[in-house]
Amino acid sequence: MRTFAFARADSVARAVEHRQAEPGSAFVAGGTTLLDLVKLDVMQPSRVIDINALPLTTVERLPDDRLRIGALVTNTDLAYHPDVLADHPLLSQAILAGASTQVRNMATTGGNLMQRTRCPYFRDAAAACNKREPGSGCDARHGVNRMHAVLGGSRECVAVHPSDMCVALAAIGATLTLHGPHGEREIDFAHFHRLPGTTPHLEHDLDDELIVAVTLAPPLMPLGTAYVKLRDRASFEFALASAGAMLSLDEDLIGEARLALGGVATKPWRCREAEALLAGKRADTAAFAAAADVALADAQPLAHNAFKIPLARQAIVRALREAARRAGEDAT
Amino acid sequence: MQETTAHPPEAAVTVRLTLNGDPITIEVSPSAILLDVLREQLGLTGTKKGCDHGQCGACTVHVDGRAMNACLRLAVMCEGQAVTTIEGLAEAGHLHPIQQAFLDHDAFQCGYCSPGQIMSAVALLEDHRIAGDVATVREAMSGNLCRCGAYQNILAAIQDVRLRRHAQEGGGDA
């Protein structure tokens, strides 16, 4: 394994100073992505900046009732937090559908936002990959691409965004607080992850900044949520297709719907057109199937992953159906 | 407050931690992985190296009571933390109840995954946020692979200890 220098930051400002001083440096929180990829020689930080001593480990309820999650809250602690379970069960469901107990105990909220793709060509330093080495080409596009994206891809990159947590954040809506050399700014979660386009190596809207918090949008009322994840094995596996759904019901009509997809797209994929279609409709399978068709209308299969389109369709219908059932229970 | 420190790659970093109950101070390379430090620097070879990428669970240890993959953690990240390995489970010559249950239930064949399985099982039983039904336990243990396929007996060992604990807790006069 390649070696690196080290720094331990005792404040957010110092962490950012270290980062700014050394362009090849990387923050480490849980380490589950970074150290995995350093061992594969896919990431080569010149210095690792340990941010685990920073006071970013709490979930707090803001005066306006929104939940603000510190970037170092672990995936496990977030999934079981009483306020998260009460307000945003979708977030808990999605986190617990991902990874293993050990990885969830290590992985953090901010780190999950920075999770890298599981594309095997990205993870193989001998393969061509525009994300790992800009301009080198994409071995996935005409290679074994069963696991790859059908939404949001480009000629340069079809790598799937692997996070389950981020699918829930896409559906719920969230604001990220970033701390950089010029102080703090806030950014809509929807704009944080970039589409690959011609620059798949640029994955996030970050400028020498550290993610310090994620603030969740308020929940829908009454609330029903469901996270359906379809994968090759029942646990500790990345999604082939997943759907996170949130619904509120007004009698038996849908009040507001939220829908996001994982496992099929190059970034956490919010389905706004499908959501708009669902508002005011009867909460039945016909409406859910119509929404799924809209959500997947632009899907473009590669040689080996056309199966993902009907799979995602099923995940969407099942997630919406279950969310509607739970919203009905929540209303009574 | 502690001075913010910066170390070049070749410089050793001093790390103070609690290892199996004892406070220790070690000098490690900044890029040293906890698993390698445990096995090669501290001679604690009970923690196994399987995949070395967080996918098999053979290297599972407890950090501040939580099960973690020692292969995906820098030793320098453990400053001030309590690390427990399989060597730290037995007390005063008595096996931990989970260790005994693995023997009683024949919960291994080759034994290579057993330290990791046992560390995950112990942490699982201590974490009351995780439900005790079979489906939940199987899910919570899915980060530990057993290529001999001893899963049924591993599950039986865990649930046996759980039942005994419930019986003991319910058996008092409270």
Side-chain angles (χ1 to χ4, degrees):
Chain A
M1 185 176 121
R2 224 177 266 264
T3 60
F4 43 76
F6 178 70
R8 187 175 288 133
D10 59 6
S11 72
V12 169
R14 288 290 287 146
V16 171
E17 281 174 30
H18 277 302
R19 166 80 192 128
Q20 197 184 17
E22 194 164 336
S25 62
F27 297 122
V28 67
T32 54
T33 290
L34 179 68
L35 298 176
D36 178 33
L37 293 177
V38 170
K39 288 181 181 193
L40 293 171
D41 209 20
V42 168
M43 292 178 79
Q44 297 153 354
S46 58
R47 180 182 300 277
V48 166
I49 305 162
D50 184 358
I51 61 168
N52 283 290
L54 304 184
L56 306 172
T57 57
T58 56
V59 178
E60 58 179 317
R61 192 175 282 282
L62 300 178
D64 64 6
D65 225 28
R66 289 183 303 159
L67 296 180
R68 180 183 157 107
I69 304 158
L72 290 173
V73 175
T74 67
N75 283 184
T76 301
D77 287 346
L78 187 58
Y80 290 119
H81 195 283
D83 287 337
V84 172
L85 287 167
D87 286 18
H88 290 293
L90 178 63
L91 182 54
S92 180
Q93 291 153 6
I95 290 171
L96 292 176
S100 66
T101 302
Q102 293 97 315
V103 171
R104 291 191 296 265
N105 284 344
M106 303 167 81
T108 64
T109 306
N112 196 311
L113 294 167
M114 299 297 292
Q115 194 177 162
R116 311 292 303 272
T117 184
R118 305 298 295 193
C119 171
Y121 300 102
F122 170 73
R123 291 172 61 81
D124 176 359
C129 172
N130 290 317
K131 185 185 281 299
R132 179 166 34 74
E133 194 178 330
S136 66
C138 172
D139 275 348
R141 178 153 272 283
H142 300 291
V144 179
N145 46 39
R146 176 176 178 270
M147 304 294 291
H148 290 76
V150 294
L151 290 165
S154 65
R155 198 167 55 86
E156 285 77 9
C157 184
V158 287
V160 162
H161 193 274
S163 170
D164 294 295
M165 185 191 90
C166 287
V167 177
L169 291 182
I172 291 165
T175 303
L176 309 186
T177 305
L178 310 177
H179 194 107
H182 308 294
E184 277 191 2
R185 69 175 172 122
E186 296 198 324
I187 176 175
D188 186 335
F189 171 81
H191 301 140
F192 179 69
H193 295 100
R194 298 185 183 184
L195 289 170
T198 56
T199 54
H201 60 294
L202 302 175
E203 297 180 340
H204 316 100
D205 187 2
L206 277 178
D207 186 14
D208 282 340
E209 290 160 309
L210 176 68
I211 304 165
V212 293
V214 177
T215 304
L216 303 178
L220 306 177
M221 301 288 265
L223 175 65
T225 71
Y227 189 70
V228 172
K229 180 176 179 179
L230 304 173
R231 44 187 160 170
D232 281 329
R233 60 181 182 187
S235 178
F236 199 11
E237 182 59 277
F238 292 89
L240 292 167
S242 73
M246 288 171 72
L247 275 182
S248 67
L249 287 182
D250 184 5
E251 300 296 323
D252 57 351
L253 299 184
I254 298 167
E256 193 174 344
R258 305 272 185 78
L259 180 66
L261 305 180
V264 292
T266 52
K267 62 177 270 182
W269 199 259
R270 175 102 178 247
C271 307
R272 291 183 186 273
E273 287 178 32
E275 293 172 2
L277 189 75
L278 286 164
K281 295 286 194 321
R282 284 184 65 87
D284 57 24
T285 302
F288 302 151
D293 289 340
V294 168
L296 296 164
D298 295 333
Q300 292 185 329
L302 301 160
H304 305 126
N305 68 359
F307 74 98
K308 281 194 172 188
I309 297 171
L311 202 67
R313 191 172 188 278
Q314 288 304 101
I316 292 168
V317 171
R318 279 173 53 187
L320 286 168
R321 187 189 292 150
E322 184 62 13
R325 188 186 67 75
R326 291 178 179 160
E329 286 177 2
D330 193 45
T332 56
Chain B
M1 184 176 276
Q2 180 198 343
E3 183 83 1
T4 303
T5 49
H7 301 269
E10 63 277 10
V13 181
T14 303
V15 181
R16 288 160 294 267
L17 68 153
T18 302
L19 180 62
N20 293 331
D22 297 323
I24 64 165
T25 302
I26 52 175
E27 303 281 324
V28 297
S29 155
S31 47
I33 297 292
L34 175 61
L35 172 61
D36 298 326
V37 170
L38 289 172
R39 289 181 56 85
E40 292 167 26
Q41 194 168 335
L42 299 169
L44 297 175
T45 54
T47 305
K48 301 304 184 208
K49 182 179 282 198
C51 70
D52 211 22
H53 286 275
Q55 296 172 11
C56 79
C59 67
T60 303
V61 297
H62 296 174
V63 179
D64 287 345
R66 296 284 168 78
M68 295 190 187
N69 300 116
C71 73
L72 290 185
R73 193 165 185 82
L74 295 174
V76 290
M77 291 165 66
C78 297
E79 170 73 28
Q81 295 188 311
V83 175
T84 305
T85 69
I86 188 74
E87 289 90 346
L89 277 191
E91 285 186 26
H94 293 285
L95 292 180
H96 186 283
I98 280 284
Q99 291 175 304
Q100 186 61 49
F102 267 60
L103 287 172
D104 295 343
H105 288 272
D106 198 17
F108 51 85
Q109 288 183 45
C110 82
Y112 196 80
C113 74
S114 304
Q117 299 278 2
I118 289 169
M119 297 309 286
S120 281
V122 169
L124 168 68
L125 286 169
E126 298 296 329
D127 192 340
H128 298 292
R129 300 171 301 184
I130 302 173
D133 61 279
V134 166
T136 304
V137 172
R138 287 172 67 97
E139 161 61 37
M141 290 294 295
S142 69
N144 291 83
L145 302 186
C146 170
R147 296 295 75 166
C148 302
Y151 295 111
Q152 290 299 333
N153 293 3
I154 292 168
L155 185 63
I158 295 169
Q159 297 303 71
D160 187 16
V161 174
R162 182 188 304 282
L163 277 175
R164 285 169 195 262
R165 284 196 181 175
H166 281 201
Q168 281 172 1
E169 286 162 10
D173 291 326

